[in-house]
Amino acid sequence: MADSESMSEQEEPAGGQAGGSAAAAESGAGLVGSCWQIGDWLADPTLDELRCGDQVHKLEPRKMLLLMALARRPQQLVTLDQLLDEVWAGVVVTPSSVYQSISQLRSLLGDDASQPRYIATVPRKGYRMVAAVSEVTPEPAAAPAQQVQPMPPSLPESMSVAPVPAVASAAAPAVPAPRRRLLLGGSVAAAALLGSGGWWAWQRVMGMAHMPAADITLAVLPFADASAKALEQSLADGLAESVIGVLSRHQQIRVTARATSFQFRNPQALAPQAGQLAISHVLSGELQRWQQSLQLKLSLHRAADSELLWRHVLDAPAAALSGLAFSAANAALQALGTTPLPASVLPMPAADAYELYLQGLQHQRGGDIEGILKARDYFQRAIDTDPGFALAYVGQAVSWIGEFNYGKGLSLRAMDARAQPLIDRALQLDPELPLALGAQGSLLSQRGQDDEARRWHERALAMAPSDATLLFWAGAAENSAGWPARALGYFSKAAQLSPLSPQIQHLTGVAATNTGRYETAEAAYRRAISLAPKHPNGQWGFGIIGFARGRLDEAVQGYRKALLINSNRPWLWEQLAWIYLDLGLVDDAGKAFAQFQAQSPQPAWARVSAVRQWVRAEDRMALTKALAALPEQSAERDAVIDLALLRLLLGQQDVALKTLGSVIGLVLADPVPLYNEWETFLGQHVWLDVAAIYYAADLRDKAEPFIEQASSYVERYAKQGNVWHAIGYHRARIAAMRGQPEAALTALEDAYRLGWRRGWWLTQDPALQSLRELPRFKTLLARIEASNQVQRQTLMSTT
């Protein structure tokens, strides 16, 4: 930042100070009877005046204290903490009070921050008085002309109030400096509120029956845009979201997430659902922006009946935009009667950078890849404007993670190489930034470093326990790590903060499905559909449940409904194609595979996957032709392994080994996992595919390390509470390749009992070759085919 004046809080009037002048407020400072020549200006602390020729400025006492704190140390750095301790002793404020007061002093002195003649900014540290300073003794003068006392901050017409009773101006008791930023109460709170809302606002707060902080759930609604021509709505929305982010760091109250609170435009609209959403209070706001200044009018309402409890007005220079969210959050906390946040919780970027960041957030919240890419551009511009803005680096990193998760062709390694340096930079700038800590946890989860990821998520939530995004990320990481019960705990907390978020409900359904709690999963997916009927994930969830339970006709219906809502979901097409193959609907599978190939960001994998239709049709000629059309080399590692596996089906053992050999070095050396919980749930495991190729070639010594690692992985997931029919299939492959046919058959029977219906692949899998002539194996195949035939007929009769 070129200048530190980037955060603002309404300055408290003289009535809220411990005395009527700088001299009285700073007893023992040696200023009584002395004036100070500061450049062209004569400062009189006794009268709180600045004089230069015919110009006379009457200063508020605290501004004179600030000027004196700098003048007593000419040419020396005076830090923010020193100024807060000396000028605002006993008052809970943020550095924004310093920034605003410095800006006002510069204006009175005729100073320019870019070419200072009086007060120079030392970025991120404090200020220096660069003008010549000398102490002078004024000559005795006649009785001074009557001075006009400064008027208190003006109130909007709708907030005009009676004069403040004298008791409101009582001095605040001194608070020890180390506790100053953590304590707020009594007359100190009154002084802060009088600065921007007047006596009426304070009367209302005093009349509120404050509930315990732990019982408060505050919903921050999108702020209204009251600016000329209403061109600032995105800024108003972004500012409200920033207030939510600040409040989420409070250790007691809860703040409702944006995904829920932003569905209501005013407290009256929310009131009918307040009880169902467990919201106790509502904060609304109205933002007005002029060229050089900002005004934010805040209103606090009781949620149940939308009764107005409190109003507050924050005025700030335009350059102080980035501090407005913090000031608004602490004003609301004071009104609720709970402990405000310390001033250190919020970074203070340049106003232009902060506005670019807010615009990026609005695009990122769109929930589509186009919005993510637009957001990335805004975040980069914010970084270019202020390279010290930590949140902008986090936004940029999250955009890369989002692009990867949308499956648009960005590999995990490429994403990681882009996201990690950005997170590193954010944490270097702000080691305790919750979103940076959470993003690091999510990135580690993507790499499969589950224990490390958990530690980072725990650190993030310790800093911001009421942040639904962090809870969601932590839950997703636990689910990915194979701990669905832990994931459900995080999702439950996230849903309490954002009960109207369909995405939380969707992942709740996934985690519940993993634990075999299908009724819970169905309820979550029904909730997701009711919240977002035009989003495919709810219907897809019912497809997932159908597959998990072996009800393939229901699975097909769920996938079809999801793809009717959004047909541009390549991975859903592939999953549907495989379920069609399970049911013996080869033609339908071919059409679904065609859609997958047309949309997939991984063309090699899509082409190899589609070859499965000829395996299912037992058409050896078509299979041979399809494989011949595929290239042997590809940058897509998994596609090459799958191609080698298919070569075995044609008896091309040497070709299969050669194909596998082209990528086996990468398989062994690559730190990126070749498996994850979702693929394991679907019945895929690359380690076991590699082992099956070696096993079929009678290279058991090469197969065993892959079998061992896969076994450890599968058993860990089973012990952690995952109830997947595919676990039985994986165990059967492991036991069969280790020469344990009875254990393999028992595992397959368990898989069938839980819903495994992929009988056609049991007849093709090289790992199960030794089982195919056994009676129990044939009996199991017959049972699978009978079940699938009934479901196939049911499906065809309903379409």
Side-chain angles (χ1 to χ4, degrees):
M1 289 182 291
D3 191 86
S4 295
E5 289 147 18
S6 58
M7 187 171 182
S8 167
E9 180 176 79
Q10 182 70 22
E11 179 71 26
E12 58 271 29
Q17 300 171 14
S21 71
E26 186 173 275
S27 61
L31 297 176
V32 178
S34 297
C35 293
W36 294 74
Q37 189 69 41
I38 305 174
D40 297 332
W41 292 89
L42 182 69
D44 187 338
T46 303
L47 298 177
D48 289 328
E49 284 184 350
L50 268 179
R51 296 191 290 271
C52 180
D54 294 334
Q55 299 183 65
V56 179
H57 295 312
K58 188 71 176 180
L59 269 62
E60 294 177 352
R62 203 175 298 278
K63 287 190 177 63
M64 181 58 76
L65 278 176
L66 177 61
L67 181 62
M68 290 298 99
L70 296 169
R72 291 198 310 274
R73 306 176 180 91
Q75 307 301 326
Q76 298 179 32
L77 167 67
V78 185
T79 68
L80 287 175
D81 282 342
Q82 287 176 307
L83 293 174
L84 286 167
D85 290 337
E86 293 179 18
V87 181
W88 282 270
V91 182
V92 178
V93 293
T94 72
S96 61
S97 292
V98 183
Y99 305 148
Q100 182 177 357
S101 296
I102 290 287
S103 180
Q104 293 167 351
L105 280 178
R106 280 177 170 153
S107 179
L108 292 172
L109 295 166
D111 201 11
D112 183 349
S114 62
Q115 294 180 318
R117 295 186 303 116
Y118 288 90
I119 302 173
T121 298
V122 181
R124 305 186 186 282
K125 293 183 179 179
Y127 300 92
R128 287 190 305 117
M129 174 62 71
V130 295
V133 177
S134 60
E135 185 176 3
V136 298
T137 302
E139 296 180 2
Q146 183 177 2
Q147 296 291 336
V148 178
Q149 295 298 316
M151 295 294 292
S154 59
L155 298 175
E157 186 175 339
S158 61
M159 295 179 61
S160 298
V161 296
V164 179
V167 69
S169 298
V175 179
R179 300 178 62 198
R180 170 172 43 74
R181 295 187 187 89
L182 299 175
L183 301 178
L184 182 65
S187 58
V188 179
L193 288 169
L194 283 168
S196 293
W199 173 248
W200 182 87
W202 177 237
Q203 283 274 41
R204 298 293 292 174
V205 174
M206 290 296 288
M208 289 169 58
H210 289 142
M211 64 172 60
D215 295 338
I216 295 173
T217 299
L218 178 65
V220 181
L221 306 189
F223 293 159
D225 174 20
S227 301
K229 300 183 180 180
L231 298 177
E232 305 290 352
Q233 189 58 58
S234 63
L235 176 62
D237 286 348
L239 188 60
E241 184 172 357
S242 291
V243 172
I244 294 172
V246 175
L247 289 169
S248 71
R249 301 183 71 163
H250 200 276
Q251 296 296 317
Q252 293 175 292
I253 76 159
R254 295 177 300 276
V255 58
T256 304
R258 177 191 190 277
T260 289
S261 63
F262 270 40
Q263 297 195 32
F264 305 96
R265 302 306 300 185
N266 55 64
Q268 292 74 28
L270 185 146
Q273 298 187 50
Q276 180 183 0
L277 301 176
I279 294 172
S280 63
H281 294 82
V282 179
L283 181 68
S284 61
E286 181 180 282
L287 178 68
Q288 193 161 6
R289 185 182 194 181
W290 299 276
Q291 186 173 4
Q292 299 296 329
S293 62
L294 301 159
Q295 185 178 80
L296 179 60
K297 298 178 181 178
L298 298 171
S299 299
L300 185 69
H301 300 254
R302 187 164 51 223
D305 56 10
S306 68
E307 180 184 351
L308 178 63
L309 301 174
W310 168 85
R311 281 181 178 162
H312 195 64
V313 179
L314 291 171
D315 290 293
L321 171 64
S322 62
L324 206 52
F326 179 84
S327 297
N330 257 0
L333 290 170
Q334 293 168 16
L336 289 165
T338 189
T339 307
L341 291 161
S344 61
V345 303
L346 193 69
M348 295 166 288
D352 290 348
Y354 181 68
E355 186 168 358
L356 288 166
Y357 171 76
L358 294 184
Q359 290 175 314
L361 276 186
Q362 298 312 302
H363 286 292
Q364 194 176 62
R365 298 302 186 216
D368 54 58
I369 186 63
E370 291 77 14
I372 287 174
L373 297 179
K374 287 181 181 178
R376 182 180 301 157
D377 178 63
Y378 279 103
F379 294 143
Q380 184 59 56
R381 289 165 61 190
I383 292 169
D384 292 341
T385 303
D386 184 354
F389 186 11
L391 271 174
Y393 290 96
V394 178
Q396 191 77 300
V398 171
S399 77
W400 287 110
I401 296 173
E403 182 178 348
F404 169 73
N405 286 332
Y406 266 90
K408 293 300 180 181
L410 186 67
S411 71
L412 177 56
R413 284 185 298 277
M415 177 274 288
D416 184 77
R418 289 162 173 80
Q420 187 62 70
L422 293 164
I423 296 173
D424 289 342
R425 178 58 176 156
L427 289 169
Q428 181 184 34
L429 292 167
D430 189 346
E432 296 185 338
L433 182 62
L435 283 175
L437 297 170
Q440 181 64 81
S442 293
L443 192 57
L444 289 166
S445 175
Q446 299 277 8
R447 296 179 195 155
Q449 296 172 250
D450 300 323
D451 292 338
E452 279 294 306
R454 182 175 301 113
R455 284 191 282 271
W456 283 90
H457 284 304
E458 288 172 351
R459 284 182 60 193
L461 286 166
M463 298 298 300
S466 189
D467 193 314
T469 296
L470 295 177
L471 287 164
F472 181 81
W473 287 355
E478 291 293 357
N479 201 53
S480 179
W483 291 102
R486 292 180 182 177
L488 286 172
Y490 282 116
F491 293 143
S492 176
K493 292 179 182 178
Q496 291 173 13
L497 297 172
S498 191
L500 300 184
S501 168
Q503 189 64 7
I504 292 174
Q505 296 299 324
H506 172 69
L507 281 194
T508 296
V510 172
T513 299
N514 286 342
T515 64
R517 297 164 59 180
Y518 298 122
E519 291 183 0
T520 300
E522 288 173 350
Y525 288 131
R526 281 194 294 270
R527 178 71 170 156
I529 292 171
S530 69
L531 293 172
K534 295 184 178 180
H535 197 287
N537 279 2
Q539 299 293 352
W540 176 31
F542 280 101
I544 294 171
I545 293 175
F547 173 74
R549 305 182 77 174
R551 300 176 181 180
L552 301 187
D553 53 337
E554 296 177 6
V556 168
Q557 295 285 18
Y559 275 90
R560 283 177 175 174
K561 289 177 181 178
L563 288 165
L564 281 174
I565 295 172
N566 184 355
S567 62
N568 190 29
R569 301 290 290 269
W571 306 111
L572 269 65
W573 283 114
E574 184 195 29
Q575 292 158 32
L576 175 59
W578 277 75
I579 296 171
Y580 278 141
L581 293 182
D582 295 340
L583 289 169
L585 301 173
V586 178
D587 290 342
D588 290 317
K591 295 174 184 177
F593 276 128
Q595 290 287 343
F596 177 48
Q597 290 186 77
Q599 299 177 18
S600 175
Q602 295 179 307
W605 173 262
R607 291 180 67 186
V608 172
S609 183
V611 171
R612 287 293 197 286
Q613 63 188 298
W614 308 120
V615 177
R616 180 67 172 99
E618 299 181 1
D619 188 335
R620 188 177 180 86
M621 183 177 297
L623 175 61
T624 302
K625 183 178 179 180
L627 289 178
L630 296 176
E632 295 296 329
Q633 301 294 327
S634 171
E636 298 177 29
R637 175 194 58 193
D638 294 5
V640 175
I641 295 171
D642 208 42
L643 176 60
L645 192 64
L646 289 169
R647 291 287 184 193
L648 283 177
L649 302 185
L650 293 176
Q652 300 173 359
Q653 181 175 297
D654 292 341
V655 177
L657 288 172
K658 182 179 179 181
T659 302
L660 177 61
S662 68
V663 294
I664 197 63
L666 182 59
V667 169
L668 295 171
D670 195 346
V672 176
L674 284 87
Y675 43 77
N676 58 45
E677 92 293 344
W678 176 246
E679 291 175 348
T680 307
F681 164 77
L682 292 175
Q684 302 165 4
H685 205 294
V686 176
W687 284 111
L688 289 177
D689 290 343
V690 172
I693 295 169
Y694 285 133
Y695 172 78
D698 202 25
L699 298 172
R700 308 296 171 86
D701 56 333
K702 289 189 175 182
E704 182 55 35
F706 293 96
I707 296 172
E708 177 61 31
Q709 186 159 342
S711 176
S712 174
Y713 175 84
V714 170
E715 295 307 319
R716 176 171 66 86
Y717 268 74
K719 291 176 182 178
Q720 290 173 186
N722 294 279
V723 181
W724 301 333
H725 53 52
I727 285 180
Y729 169 59
H730 299 312
R731 283 172 168 165
R733 300 182 81 188
I734 292 166
M737 287 189 285
R738 284 178 166 171
Q740 301 167 353
E742 292 300 315
L745 290 167
T746 299
L748 285 178
E749 289 165 351
D750 287 342
Y752 172 79
R753 178 178 53 82
L754 291 174
W756 181 261
R757 296 296 182 268
R758 193 150 287 169
W760 67 278
W761 186 240
L762 299 184
T763 67
Q764 306 292 335
D765 186 353
L768 303 179
Q769 182 177 354
S770 62
L771 306 181
R772 292 191 184 122
E773 299 303 319
L774 299 178
R776 282 175 66 187
F777 186 83
K778 293 180 179 180
T779 299
L780 179 62
L781 288 180
R783 293 169 66 190
I784 292 175
E785 178 53 34
S787 174
N788 287 350
Q789 183 176 358
V790 172
Q791 295 189 65
R792 183 166 58 246
Q793 292 172 348
T794 300
L795 181 63
M796 296 177 69
S797 67
T798 59
T799 56

